[in-house]
Amino acid sequence: MVLFSVTKKATTPFDGQKPGTSGLRKKVTVFQQPHYLQNFVQSTFNALPADQVKGATIVVSGDGRYFSKDAVQIITKMAAANGVRRVWVGQDSLMSTPAVSGVIRERVAADGSKATGAFILTASHNPGGPTEDFGIKYNMENGGPAPESVTDKIFSNTKTITEYLIAEDLPDVDISVVGVTSFSGPEGPFDVDVFDSTIDYIKLMKTIFDFESIKKLLASPNYDALHGVAGNYAKRIFVEELGADESSLLNCVPKEDFGGGHPDPNLTYAKELVDRMGLGKSSNVEPPEFGAAADGDADRNMILGKRFFVTPSDSVAIIAANAVQSIPYFAFGLKGVARSMPTSAALDVVAKNLNLKFFEVPTGWKFFGNLMDAGMCSICGEESFGTGSDHIREKDGIWAVLAWLSILAFKNKDNLGGDKLVTVEDIVRQHWGTYGRHYYTRYDYENVDAEAAKELMANLVSMQSSLSDVNKLIKEIRSDVSDVVAADEFEYKDPVDGSVSKHQGIRYLFGDGSRLVFRLSGTGSVGATIRVYIEQYEKDSSKTGRDSQDALAPLVDVALKLSKMQEYTGRSAPTVIT
């Protein structure tokens, strides 16, 4: 057995190692600086309770982006030096964010122990490659992202760190081969267990969904489905388990730079899938009935029907409305539902109609995790293409795809050989007929000058002191837009732990139920991202079929002129519209 020793390395703090809503994200070149990653990892170990480090089991894996394999070896050597008992690593360092959450919650070691947390190496939907983005975040023993109390402690530690521990003489472990490698150090044995995480994830999915009913749907002669979803898991689930044709998979071979693409499942970046589904400008081939996309670490998702886009806000509402009858895991009812504040109020209407507990939380999955740990929430979602349930403590792109296929299978169970199957579009329009439609769009202005973004937001807050002046300005922009009846900065008091989150987004609420929301996003690696959310509720079923951008045009006009977007940012158009 290889013996290793522990070295204390002197270091000095780096500025700006504050974890955002999804961990620390910077350019690869920043992480490659000597001591940069090590400082953050040691600051994390120092922020955790001793029993979650000494003698503990931790997971280290991610989306396989550039620098991941180097980072796995560094973190493994630091884990050994800090007294961790074993590290679980996904083969080739690959493990989707939802799969990591599932592994923390479900996997049991030979001696009966479970993981106490995980370093997840991902920058989610941000590009990968030598000059692109890398990220790291820590998830706790419930499988969810570290709460602010922990991330604040990590950040505080990064500002004062003077040394870190590392087992420099520990050999690199071959993470391409499944198996356990054992070592021995000053505090006893240390193991690195490399395993195929798709096995654990599929096992979990089979406890939630009726795979046989989905298989029958996909085998129907009138059903052609295309899945542009998260590589490693897509082939195992959709081809090997559910019998879909392998030709239905797009871009499913993991690459360190995501093939030079932007791994964000939206109408802008998932262009190949969008075109194939008949939503592009030059689509001549008959589209499939169903399409789906996921991001780099498979926690986000996009659902498409033939020539039809399902907004993430509608998606979570429709899953909640159909879950009990369509998904075995929810057969005994839902504990409650929740959405992030910027997400449309479509879920609110479902909750009210079905008499479900409902929660509106700040952006950040950890807020949903608190509710789930307390048994208060079963299904949740956010407008940024994140949907999930209490089976884990992360959003889950593959879960959302399987949820939609389950709903389609249930709606078509008595007509699989028929000529006309119930489609994605049929399900969405039926939902609008029952609950009304929330016209909704989001404008993203990426990599905006950070100071300009702060000034824009400060101006929007100061304007809220006089709604009469705001309404006068609005009427000058568009006379056909309702008056603002309330405006604030969203603040959330957690019903579980009583913690208060302030400054979570600027809201303008209109008399007819419309909303304008402005937020600075914390998930980019350079500059600032301003997100503008525009929503209008329509109860009249005769008016729910309008083109979304046409229906929202007056409010869009108001949002951009009220915020002085071009004046502050110099941008005449958003980077992304969803």
Side-chain angles (χ1 to χ4, degrees):
M1 185 182 289
V2 176
L3 301 175
F4 66 86
S5 57
V6 175
T7 303
K8 287 184 179 180
K9 300 282 283 188
T11 188
T12 53
F14 288 89
D15 289 336
Q17 287 196 321
K18 182 176 175 62
T21 53
S22 299
L24 180 68
R25 294 182 187 172
K26 303 286 183 183
K27 291 297 180 187
V28 166
T29 50
V30 173
F31 273 98
Q32 287 175 323
Q33 296 175 92
H35 312 306
Y36 190 90
L37 173 64
Q38 290 89 333
N39 277 21
F40 187 80
V41 171
Q42 189 64 57
S43 295
T44 302
F45 280 136
N46 293 349
L48 296 170
D51 63 350
Q52 291 183 24
V53 181
K54 299 282 186 186
T57 298
I58 65 168
V59 185
V60 183
S61 280
D63 60 14
R65 66 181 52 238
Y66 189 86
F67 190 60
S68 291
K69 290 175 181 174
D70 293 336
V72 167
Q73 302 295 347
I74 291 168
I75 297 168
T76 298
K77 292 174 184 183
M78 292 187 66
N82 278 275
V84 169
R85 172 64 182 84
R86 69 176 61 80
V87 172
W88 287 341
V89 181
Q91 188 176 14
D92 291 318
S93 81
L94 293 170
M95 203 183 305
S96 73
T97 296
V100 172
S101 185
V103 162
I104 295 171
R105 295 174 63 81
E106 305 290 338
R107 195 168 199 259
V108 181
D111 65 357
S113 60
K114 296 179 74 173
T116 58
F119 285 101
I120 306 180
L121 310 176
T122 177
S124 190
H125 54 295
N126 294 5
T131 60
E132 296 295 350
D133 294 353
F134 187 76
I136 180 170
K137 70 172 185 171
Y138 195 81
N139 276 31
M140 305 299 285
E141 59 188 336
N142 72 340
E148 285 182 28
S149 59
V150 174
T151 56
D152 286 349
K153 202 176 289 184
I154 293 170
F155 181 46
S156 177
N157 290 345
T158 68
K159 294 188 286 188
T160 58
I161 189 168
T162 58
E163 65 179 20
Y164 61 84
L165 305 180
I166 189 164
E168 289 186 303
D169 55 355
L170 187 81
D172 283 0
V173 174
D174 185 352
I175 57 175
S176 69
V177 179
V178 169
V180 179
T181 308
S182 297
F183 305 95
S184 184
E187 297 192 41
F190 172 71
D191 296 336
V192 180
D193 182 355
V194 178
F195 68 104
D196 178 354
S197 69
T198 62
I199 295 170
D200 295 70
Y201 185 76
I202 291 168
K203 184 179 171 185
L204 178 59
M205 289 301 104
K206 284 184 171 179
T207 67
I208 299 170
F209 301 104
D210 180 352
F211 270 45
E212 283 306 309
S213 69
I214 298 174
K215 199 170 183 178
K216 286 176 187 172
L217 173 74
L218 295 180
S220 169
N222 296 315
Y223 200 85
D224 178 17
L226 180 84
H227 310 274
V229 287
N232 238 21
Y233 300 84
K235 184 177 179 183
R236 292 293 299 274
I237 291 176
F238 298 112
V239 176
E240 295 176 18
E241 294 287 342
L242 296 173
D245 195 295
E246 192 162 354
S247 65
S248 69
L249 302 180
L250 282 177
N251 301 327
C252 284
V253 178
K255 296 178 181 176
E256 289 188 333
D257 66 350
F258 306 108
H262 196 130
D264 198 354
N266 60 42
L267 295 174
T268 301
Y269 293 126
K271 189 174 185 306
E272 187 178 356
L273 178 67
V274 168
D275 287 346
R276 183 69 182 87
M277 295 306 298
L279 288 163
K281 291 177 181 174
S282 56
S283 302
N284 301 319
V285 183
E286 183 65 11
E289 289 295 341
F290 180 85
D295 67 343
D297 63 332
D299 61 350
R300 298 180 189 228
N301 74 93
M302 177 171 67
I303 303 297
L304 301 170
K306 182 186 291 188
R307 302 186 185 90
F308 194 84
F309 166 62
V310 184
T311 71
S313 297
D314 278 344
S315 181
V316 66
I318 290 165
I319 291 172
N322 291 278
V324 172
Q325 59 189 8
S326 304
I327 301 171
Y329 180 82
F330 299 115
F332 297 104
L334 302 180
K335 300 163 190 168
V337 294
R339 66 166 174 83
S340 65
M341 182 275 286
T343 303
S344 94
L347 186 62
D348 312 34
V349 181
V350 170
K352 187 176 180 181
N353 275 264
L354 300 182
N355 198 27
L356 296 170
K357 285 181 187 171
F358 168 78
F359 303 92
E360 181 182 30
V361 306
T363 297
W365 211 260
K366 56 197 168 193
F367 298 104
F368 295 131
N370 257 14
L371 296 171
M372 289 173 175
D373 285 346
M376 300 163 74
C377 177
S378 296
I379 290 174
C380 56
E382 54 189 19
E383 48 67 41
S384 53
F385 295 86
T387 326
S389 88
D390 60 352
H391 67 292
I392 57 172
R393 296 297 180 268
E394 287 278 5
K395 45 188 174 274
D396 191 343
I398 300 274
W399 175 90
V401 175
L402 289 170
W404 266 92
L405 288 172
S406 297
I407 294 168
L408 284 160
F410 177 80
K411 299 280 188 186
N412 288 293
K413 69 180 191 298
D414 298 324
N415 191 37
L416 287 177
D419 294 334
K420 179 73 175 80
L421 294 179
V422 176
T423 67
V424 170
E425 182 175 356
D426 292 336
I427 290 169
V428 176
R429 293 196 184 281
Q430 287 166 11
H431 184 88
W432 291 342
T434 303
Y435 298 101
R437 179 178 182 182
H438 292 258
Y439 287 103
Y440 186 89
T441 191
R442 185 182 100 192
Y443 280 31
D444 287 3
Y445 296 82
E446 297 177 351
N447 295 331
V448 170
D449 177 80
E451 283 307 311
K454 286 177 187 172
E455 287 173 19
L456 179 148
M457 299 295 279
N459 184 54
L460 283 166
V461 171
S462 68
M463 288 169 64
Q464 293 181 343
S465 61
S466 175
L467 293 189
S468 60
D469 287 346
V470 168
N471 285 321
K472 184 180 176 185
L473 185 58
I474 288 172
K475 285 293 179 276
E476 290 172 3
I477 300 167
R478 293 291 299 233
S479 60
D480 53 347
V481 168
S482 177
D483 279 353
V484 172
V485 293
D488 64 7
E489 272 195 278
F490 181 60
E491 185 174 297
Y492 175 69
K493 183 174 182 180
D494 195 302
V496 179
D497 61 20
S499 61
V500 177
S501 300
K502 299 182 178 182
H503 309 298
Q504 295 296 314
I506 297 164
R507 302 191 296 181
Y508 284 83
L509 310 176
F510 294 77
D512 62 355
S514 302
R515 290 195 314 164
L516 292 180
V517 175
F518 301 84
R519 269 188 70 245
L520 284 182
S521 171
T523 57
S525 67
V526 177
T529 294
I530 301 172
R531 302 198 198 282
V532 186
Y533 310 84
I534 300 146
E535 173 186 0
Q536 182 160 1
Y537 180 47
E538 181 54 72
K539 283 187 286 190
D540 185 342
S541 58
S542 69
K543 296 179 181 177
T544 56
R546 297 179 65 195
D547 175 80
S548 184
Q549 294 300 331
D550 288 345
L552 290 166
L555 271 177
V556 169
D557 203 16
V558 166
L560 301 187
K561 288 175 181 170
L562 191 68
S563 64
K564 299 181 180 175
M565 184 64 70
Q566 187 164 358
E567 188 177 317
Y568 279 106
T569 67
R571 304 287 181 87
S572 59
T575 316
V576 180
I577 299 177
T578 51

